[in-house]
C-alpha cells in the first residue's frame, strides 16, 4: 500500500505542477499564446485550456473530489496530451517534440492505475 501511495502522489504531483500550476502562471505569456496560435487555434482557446487544466489538476490532487469527477479529469488530460501530439505532428511533421506530450501519458497512467489500486485497497 505504501508503494502505491508513493507512486500515486509522485505521479499526481507531477501532473498537478505541469498541468495545474504551470498553465496558471504562464498560460497567458507571450510564448504560450504564440505556441497556441502557431498551431492554428484561436486566441480564446488559451483561456479555455488554462481554466480546464487548473480545474482538472485540482480535481486530481484533492482527495474529497468525487471519483466520477476524477475519472473525467483523467480522461480530459489524456485527450489533451493526445491532441497536443496530433496538433504538433500536423503542423511541424513528425519529430521528437511530437513525443513529448505522449511522455506525460505514462505519468498519467501511473497516477490513474495507482489511484484505482488505492481505492480497491480501501
Amino acid at each position: 500500500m505504501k508503494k502505491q501511495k508513493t507512486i500515486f502522489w509522485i505521479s499526481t504531483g507531477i501532473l498537478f505542477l505541469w498541468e495545474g500550476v504551470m498553465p496558471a502562471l504562464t498560460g497567458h505569456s507571450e510564448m504560450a499564446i504564440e505556441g497556441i496560435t502557431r498551431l492554428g487555434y484561436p486566441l480564446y482557446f488559451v483561456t479555455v485550456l488554462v481554466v480546464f487544466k487548473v480545474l482538472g489538476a485540482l480535481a486530481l490532487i484533492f482527495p474529497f473530489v468525487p471519483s466520477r469527477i476524477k475519472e473525467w479529469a483523467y480522461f480530459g488530460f489524456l485527450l489533451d496530451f493526445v491532441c497536443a501530439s496530433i496538433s504538433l505532428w500536423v503542423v511541424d511533421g513528425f519529430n521528437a517534440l511530437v513525443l513529448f506530450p505522449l511522455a506525460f501519458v505514462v505519468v498519467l497512467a501511473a497516477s490513474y492505475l495507482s489511484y484505482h489500486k488505492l481505492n480497491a485497497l480501501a
Side-chain angles (χ1 to χ4, degrees):
M1 179 127 164
K2 185 176 179 177
K3 178 182 174 186
Q4 291 304 317
K5 278 186 178 181
T6 304
I7 292 170
F8 173 76
W9 284 111
I10 289 174
S11 59
T12 307
I14 291 168
L15 288 170
F16 178 74
L17 292 173
W18 188 260
E19 292 296 309
V21 175
M22 200 166 84
L25 297 177
T26 65
H28 285 85
S29 68
E30 188 177 317
M31 185 172 26
I33 291 171
E34 189 274 327
I36 289 290
T37 55
R38 185 180 64 77
L39 293 174
Y41 294 106
L43 192 56
Y44 68 83
F45 196 61
V46 174
T47 304
V48 172
L49 276 177
V50 168
V51 168
F52 282 114
K53 284 182 175 193
V54 170
L55 288 175
L58 290 172
L60 294 184
I61 206 82
F62 288 129
F64 58 82
V65 174
S67 186
R68 185 176 298 249
I69 302 295
K70 287 182 185 285
E71 290 286 334
W72 278 104
Y74 279 117
F75 174 73
F77 285 129
L78 177 65
L79 190 64
D80 176 48
F81 297 142
V82 170
C83 290
S85 282
I86 292 170
S87 295
L88 289 167
W89 191 351
V90 168
V91 171
D92 294 335
F94 189 80
N95 57 38
L97 190 57
V98 170
L99 300 175
F100 185 70
L102 295 179
F104 278 93
V105 171
V106 175
V107 178
L108 185 71
S111 175
Y112 181 79
L113 294 172
S114 61
Y115 169 71
H116 281 287
K117 285 181 183 177
L118 286 172
N119 278 349
L121 295 172

